[in-house]
Amino acid sequence: MKAKRLMSAAACILAVSMVLSSCGKTQQPLGEADRVTEAGVSIFDAKDKSKNVDAALKREDTIVIGTVEFNGVFSPFYVENQYDKNVVDMMYDNLFDIADDGSMVDGLATHKVSEDGKTITFTLKDVKYWDGTPVKAQDFVTSYKVFADKAYTGPSDYSLAQIKGWDDYYNGDATEIAGVVAKDDKTLEVTVDKAIGPTLEYINIFPTHPSVSYTKGDVSGAQAMSQNPIGTGAYKFVEYKEGESVTLVANDDYYKAAPKIKNVILSVTPTGKELQRVQLGEVDIDFPEASPENVQAGVDAGFIDQYVMSNNGYGYVGINNALSKFDQKTRQALLTALNRDDINEAVYGPYAFTINAPVSNVSWAYSEEGLNKYAYNLEEAAKLLEEAGWTKNSSGKLERDGETLDITFTGMPDHPVLEVMLPVMKQDYESLGITFNIEYTDFPSLVDKVNNHKAEMWFMAWGLTPDPDPKQTYHSEGAQNTYQYSNPETDKLIDEALEETDQKKRKELYKKVWQALNEDVPCMWIYQRCDAWAVNSRVKNLEMSPFRSLFTNLYKAELDNTKA
Amino acid sequence: MAKFLVRRLLQMIPLLLGISIIVFFLTAMMPGDAVDAKVNPNMTQEQILHLKEMYGLTDPIPVRYVKWLVNAVQLDFGDSLTYLKPVTSVINDYMWNSFILSLIAFILQLVIAIPIGIVSATRQYSAVDTAGTVFALLGISLPSFFLGLLFQKIFAIDLQWLPLSGMSTAGANYTGFAHYWDVFLHLLMPILVLSLVSAGAMMRYVRTAMLEVIHQDYIRTARAKGLSEKVVIYKHALRNAMIPVITYIGFSLPTLFSGAMITEKVFGFPGIGKVAYDAIIKRDYPLYIGFTMFVAVLTLLGNLLADILYAAADPRIKME
């Protein structure tokens, strides 16, 4: 079937190019979608609501949402898995909410930034925890302290925010973090050593209920929040059945508005059964792979609304830049010889975009101005290789300074993208005179190999945070710059863009960052794909966007159990 | 008997120690670790190193083993790096679901396999035997994921008789009998899959054992002295034929607790098999080692149980 789709790719190229040109702010609907929201979500409306199933309609005040398995870590300090995080998002609120384009807007507090940008003063809104205890400024101080504690082993890294006195607390004897002060119950003041673009995002935090015990060096209370969550969120924790479901109930005193749906259950769906569960009415919402087949099946069901939007991440082929054979020209040639459009089309149909810089197409920092598209062209690639100094030897292989161009690609078995990409890649690269070998390994082994710089070329994907800063992944000092890309000019541009605090100016600076990266090709960006949500049409007023999940907006949703 | 038991239990100690060394070193030598498996693009180098240190991944493997062993003999297998809970409590959370599923499937498997096996053997080359053999080969050859997907397609999606996945209906709030009925309906497909794929092998086992026994001299003697065929087969032959079957049952003990990974994955069933598999993928070594040791103990106990059952089935075997 994959092969068939690849063959029909040419026929669809017209459709793809239409979609590609529609990226950016004024998006057109994807594929055959009926409409597109302001946040860039394409919607396929249900056409025949009378087909709705009783299994779903009889759950009058309960919504069931399908999910991938939980780790059961529901402490906002330690949450890591996306599906645990969806639960946490319903139970906890932060100082800032994330807007549809990834920028920060006021959440639990209003804020004021000082002239020099270093001091942010928050005035808390009147918000209560589930048990009626009012939220106080001191509760945020506790949260910061836990993250600054050496005993903390969760995934969040608040040191990036460069809060004043952070290191004295982390490494030293300080009992308070100098830059975090509760002026009174309602006023919180956060001071950073250096204001940077994502400062607001990096200092964003939730309050810790005063009953959670914390003393320096003992974070067990924060860990135990996993079993006994207590927050301010729209939904209150009721029960977790290991490996099966999480049940939540509406918090009628929620500070934004009382949730309209009383009960929420997140129920684990086995991989591949997402759409069927919505069709059968076992769940109201689920998350099938955004493939043309699934979307069509959802349309055919009649009573399913589908929301399709960009995923916050991108897939890329990593290149070990430290190897002398992979100089800039050669990397450009390799990218030009990779038929990304057809590969994406074959795997995801219209639901993936070929990208040429590491930024989400819904981010405020998105720009494709001045980006080379590296359109698939083997002749162009051959020319670039020649310019890079590669010449064909007697056996038709590319050779430079006595070294032939041999590439070993490390992949993961049974990966849907690799299944399509690798045969195409091998054929095209070998036609240019490159020897292309493929080896397979499981994910942690691949990570190990990549981190120790033992891989030459590999496939992985990055998730994107709301802030577009690519320092960890593309700066020569970045912890996750596994491709060992290093260009002092790019480093400078990345630092400049990170340190600028004005979003408009930052946008201009990021334009240059994307251009520099696009020119250098530190790795080969393959796609930003789409996520699709299949939703029973009885669910009304559901809002979602790539940076703001439906879980954060669920309190606005309503159920309409009539078939009309 | 008591002496035998004590001796066998004491013998387990060096065995378990050996197993733990092999399992621990093999696991620790796997490329990549738990921190590698959970990198996100905003982690700094300092934090990655800090996490590795806090998880005890930076010590040399022998040091890690000794630390682990000291805690393990006090039944503390550490905290899972994925679930952030003690390993024993993670196993406890998921194991019983798997146990219920596997136990019912196992009983069903015996109920199907033993009678068919006996009949196949006593009426060798008859139509019943052929049918039984075909059934057995089908069961042995069909992968459980295929049978699972087929059942889901037929019974859950097309006929809509049974729920597609999980262990109970989300949002139904059943109580009392209705709840148990609901769970039963959810268990039905995985149980059928598990028992059908393993009943075949078991049936061939019984058939072979039975065939061997009924060609023995003492069976001829029993027939010669005029005993009825029923008594010959079910009293004299069956008991002896059961010895290899008992070995099989003994070996099956750990599988009752260790879960059925593939079937659980297909049906989204909250069992331990899936959890153990994910533990390897996520390099959650405390959980993986804890679980493997748990299965190792059960395997040794299963062997012991089989030995005790031998003596019950065959008075010639003495526990010395």
Side-chain angles (χ1 to χ4, degrees):
Chain A
M1 195 156 78
K2 286 275 161 60
K4 203 179 102 201
R5 273 201 262 149
L6 189 58
M7 269 172 12
S8 68
C12 301
I13 279 179
L14 192 69
V16 177
S17 56
M18 235 173 71
V19 170
L20 285 175
S21 62
S22 70
C23 286
K25 274 288 143 193
T26 51
Q27 282 195 337
Q28 284 170 19
L30 277 170
E32 315 255 292
D34 296 299
R35 58 200 167 91
V36 63
T37 67
E38 255 178 64
V41 183
S42 290
I43 298 180
F44 295 75
D45 287 310
K47 294 293 189 299
D48 185 2
K49 292 177 187 169
S50 65
K51 284 189 180 165
N52 211 335
V53 284
D54 291 332
L57 294 173
K58 72 180 183 198
R59 285 192 298 264
E60 275 176 26
D61 55 357
T62 302
I63 187 171
V64 182
I65 305 176
T67 174
V68 177
E69 282 137 61
F70 301 107
N71 286 349
V73 179
F74 304 121
S75 161
F77 289 103
Y78 289 89
V79 64
E80 191 172 317
N81 158 319
Q82 179 59 44
Y83 312 99
D84 289 353
K85 190 166 181 309
N86 290 339
V87 179
V88 168
D89 281 347
M90 287 190 273
M91 302 195 297
Y92 293 89
D93 295 287
N94 292 293
L95 288 171
F96 293 107
D97 285 346
I98 298 167
D100 291 331
D101 67 352
S103 53
M104 299 286 125
V105 292
D106 283 338
L108 288 176
T110 53
H111 76 286
K112 239 173 63 190
V113 183
S114 69
E115 270 310 287
D116 62 1
K118 286 187 187 169
T119 306
I120 301 100
T121 311
F122 295 97
T123 309
L124 302 186
K125 297 176 184 168
D126 279 318
V127 181
K128 290 187 170 71
Y129 293 100
W130 300 332
D131 65 353
T133 312
V135 174
K136 292 181 179 165
Q138 185 58 41
D139 304 346
F140 295 90
V141 178
T142 311
S143 304
Y144 283 116
K145 281 183 176 171
V146 172
F147 284 116
D149 201 297
K150 208 154 197 174
Y152 169 72
T153 52
S156 298
D157 191 351
Y158 273 77
S159 69
L160 291 166
Q162 306 178 48
I163 293 174
K164 198 173 139 196
W166 192 265
D167 195 56
D168 298 332
Y169 192 87
Y170 180 78
N171 280 320
D173 298 331
T175 54
E176 297 293 329
I177 305 164
V180 181
V181 183
K183 291 275 171 193
D184 57 55
D185 283 355
K186 289 268 168 251
T187 316
L188 175 75
E189 200 179 88
V190 180
T191 313
V192 294
D193 284 329
K194 190 168 169 194
I196 52 173
T199 291
L200 297 187
E201 181 177 327
Y202 289 168
I203 64 170
N204 196 16
I205 206 162
F206 53 87
T208 302
H209 192 274
S211 68
V212 175
S213 72
Y214 168 72
T215 48
K216 194 172 176 179
D218 176 15
V219 292
S220 56
Q223 238 162 1
M225 279 169 85
S226 200
Q227 277 80 47
N228 309 297
I230 179 148
T232 55
Y235 283 93
K236 301 189 269 193
F237 186 79
V238 176
E239 182 192 20
Y240 169 47
K241 283 194 209 155
E242 272 79 9
E244 214 184 337
S245 62
V246 169
T247 308
L248 301 124
V249 67
N251 165 19
D252 291 328
D253 299 322
Y254 185 50
Y255 85 100
K256 289 179 186 165
K260 299 200 171 89
I261 302 173
K262 186 157 178 268
N263 305 298
V264 176
I265 299 173
L266 298 164
S267 161
V268 172
T269 301
T271 320
K273 295 287 179 293
E274 296 85 359
L275 191 64
Q276 275 110 327
R277 287 194 86 200
V278 183
Q279 284 172 314
L280 293 169
E282 286 188 6
V283 298
D284 293 304
I285 302 178
D286 214 320
F287 184 55
E289 190 196 22
S291 69
E293 288 88 349
N294 275 341
V295 171
Q296 191 53 48
V299 169
D300 292 344
F303 67 94
I304 298 177
D305 293 323
Q306 293 176 94
Y307 297 65
V308 185
M309 59 195 182
S310 301
N311 170 280
N312 280 332
Y314 59 90
Y316 66 92
V317 169
I319 304 175
N320 189 337
N321 286 235
L323 300 174
S324 63
K325 62 186 168 196
F326 293 132
D327 57 295
Q328 189 211 42
K329 272 263 153 56
T330 307
R331 297 196 301 263
Q332 288 175 343
L334 292 173
L335 185 54
T336 311
L338 185 55
N339 193 348
R340 296 179 295 163
D341 287 350
D342 281 3
I343 292 164
N344 293 340
E345 168 64 31
V347 185
Y348 294 111
Y351 307 115
F353 321 101
T354 304
I355 57 164
N356 292 298
V359 57
S360 167
N361 58 13
V362 297
S363 166
W364 56 262
Y366 181 76
S367 157
E368 49 183 30
E369 199 183 308
L371 297 190
N372 187 338
K373 293 221 170 358
Y374 296 103
Y376 172 63
N377 186 337
L378 288 179
E379 282 163 36
E380 178 70 24
K383 218 174 84 196
L384 284 164
L385 286 169
E386 207 181 304
E387 284 171 30
W390 297 98
T391 48
K392 286 208 175 164
N393 63 16
S394 52
S395 49
K397 298 284 178 198
L398 288 176
E399 201 177 304
R400 181 171 73 184
D401 307 330
E403 185 199 21
T404 52
L405 188 47
D406 300 343
I407 299 175
T408 303
F409 188 103
T410 313
M412 289 165 281
D414 300 324
H415 191 286
V417 175
L418 295 186
E419 274 172 12
V420 177
M421 184 173 79
L422 287 179
V424 178
M425 205 170 174
K426 188 173 170 74
Q427 194 186 349
D428 283 339
Y429 282 11
E430 300 215 318
S431 78
L432 291 169
I434 299 166
T435 308
F436 192 73
N437 303 310
I438 301 166
E439 58 174 25
Y440 290 99
T441 160
D442 78 337
F443 185 66
S445 309
L446 174 62
V447 174
D448 186 59
K449 205 164 175 177
V450 167
N451 286 351
N452 291 314
H453 310 311
K454 284 185 187 137
E456 292 192 349
M457 193 177 266
W458 63 92
F459 179 81
M460 268 196 207
W462 279 131
L464 289 165
T465 49
D467 194 88
D469 168 42
K471 180 151 181 172
Q472 296 305 330
T473 38
Y474 293 96
H475 194 285
S476 61
E477 288 164 14
Q480 319 273 343
N481 179 354
T482 46
Y483 7 84
Q484 303 185 78
Y485 165 67
S486 168
N487 182 339
E489 304 265 314
T490 315
D491 284 357
K492 220 181 99 200
L493 288 170
I494 290 176
D495 283 333
E496 262 173 26
L498 176 63
E499 279 158 29
E500 177 56 56
T501 51
D502 182 273
Q503 204 182 76
K504 273 199 195 109
K505 289 183 196 155
R506 278 189 91 196
K507 193 177 155 119
E508 288 306 309
L509 292 168
Y510 276 119
K511 211 181 268 178
K512 289 187 201 158
V513 173
W514 311 141
Q515 285 164 1
L517 289 171
N518 175 266
E519 173 80 20
D520 277 347
V521 193
C523 62
M524 301 194 274
W525 304 289
I526 307 297
Y527 59 80
Q528 178 174 17
R529 61 175 180 82
C530 289
D531 287 336
W533 289 89
V535 180
N536 187 310
S537 59
R538 79 189 187 108
V539 184
K540 308 280 179 206
N541 300 334
L542 191 65
E543 285 178 24
M544 63 177 93
S545 63
F547 285 121
R548 213 180 137 68
S549 76
L550 70 96
F551 298 95
T552 10
N553 290 320
L554 198 63
Y555 70 96
K556 296 181 189 168
E558 281 178 82
L559 295 179
D560 171 9
N561 292 317
T562 58
K563 285 196 177 185
Chain B
M1 175 80 180
K3 217 170 125 190
F4 167 81
L5 272 181
V6 170
R7 201 181 63 221
R8 284 292 299 264
L9 287 172
L10 284 176
Q11 277 171 357
M12 278 186 196
I13 295 174
L15 258 175
L16 280 174
L17 208 63
I19 294 171
S20 74
I21 292 176
I22 294 172
V23 170
F24 194 98
F25 278 73
L26 282 181
T27 310
M29 283 188 303
M30 276 199 287
D33 59 37
V35 180
D36 292 333
K38 57 165 101 177
V39 285
N40 71 58
N42 264 6
M43 273 192 183
T44 54
Q45 197 60 45
E46 293 77 38
Q47 197 201 7
I48 292 172
L49 291 176
H50 177 62
L51 282 183
K52 291 196 178 196
E53 211 171 290
M54 296 295 285
Y55 290 162
L57 298 170
T58 45
D59 295 333
I61 299 176
V63 175
R64 279 165 59 186
Y65 175 72
V66 172
K67 279 187 189 168
W68 176 86
L69 189 64
V70 168
N71 289 324
V73 293
Q74 305 167 48
L75 294 181
D76 172 9
F77 293 91
D79 281 0
S80 154
L81 304 179
T82 322
Y83 300 89
L84 306 185
K85 281 202 288 195
V87 166
T88 42
S89 102
V90 175
I91 294 176
N92 186 45
D93 285 343
Y94 289 90
M95 185 189 73
W96 297 107
N97 293 339
S98 288
F99 178 70
I100 293 170
L101 179 66
S102 307
L103 183 68
I104 303 177
F106 186 67
I107 293 171
L108 194 62
Q109 178 196 343
L110 295 181
V111 168
I112 297 172
I114 294 180
I116 300 183
I118 294 171
V119 174
S120 272
T122 48
R123 303 192 199 156
Q124 203 183 1
Y125 307 130
S126 69
V128 182
D129 183 24
T130 315
T133 307
V134 169
F135 166 79
L137 286 177
L138 266 178
I140 295 168
S141 339
L142 277 180
S144 56
F145 77 88
F146 175 77
L147 204 57
L149 291 172
L150 190 71
F151 278 14
Q152 282 182 321
K153 170 92 174 81
I154 297 172
F155 298 114
I157 294 169
D158 293 343
L159 296 172
Q160 304 198 3
W161 289 351
L162 292 171
L164 186 61
S165 63
M167 206 176 161
S168 58
T169 305
N173 297 324
Y174 292 125
T175 49
F177 177 74
H179 169 71
Y180 291 111
W181 180 246
D182 184 48
V183 172
F184 172 73
L185 290 180
H186 279 85
L187 285 173
L188 208 50
M189 278 199 289
I191 285 174
L192 278 178
V193 168
L194 276 180
S195 41
L196 287 181
V197 296
S198 40
M202 177 92 192
M203 181 241 136
R204 297 293 292 173
Y205 231 111
V206 175
R207 181 179 178 274
T208 314
M210 203 63 192
L211 273 179
E212 205 172 295
V213 172
I214 49 181
H215 290 117
Q216 300 274 335
D217 290 347
Y218 69 88
I219 296 295
R220 208 177 41 197
T221 312
R223 287 210 177 98
K225 70 178 180 182
L227 290 177
S228 76
E229 188 64 13
K230 229 183 201 165
V231 175
V232 173
I233 297 296
Y234 292 100
K235 186 150 183 251
H236 293 269
L238 182 62
R239 192 161 169 181
N240 281 295
M242 277 302 108
I243 290 178
V245 178
I246 287 171
T247 318
Y248 184 85
I249 294 175
F251 284 151
S252 301
L253 179 75
T255 62
L256 292 184
F257 292 89
S258 61
M261 188 185 87
I262 296 170
T263 310
E264 287 172 8
K265 260 215 144 39
V266 170
F267 290 100
F269 188 85
I272 190 77
K274 234 169 30 172
V275 170
Y277 172 75
D278 288 343
I280 304 175
I281 295 300
K282 292 172 180 159
R283 299 290 190 263
D284 185 349
Y285 80 96
L287 179 56
Y288 181 64
I289 293 171
F291 177 72
T292 312
M293 289 314 294
F294 171 69
V295 174
V297 170
L298 285 175
T299 308
L300 296 180
L301 287 176
N303 283 343
L304 179 59
L305 184 74
D307 286 351
I308 295 170
L309 287 178
Y310 281 156
D314 184 349
R316 284 170 305 176
I317 299 172
K318 292 245 167 65
M319 281 179 289
E320 287 299 319

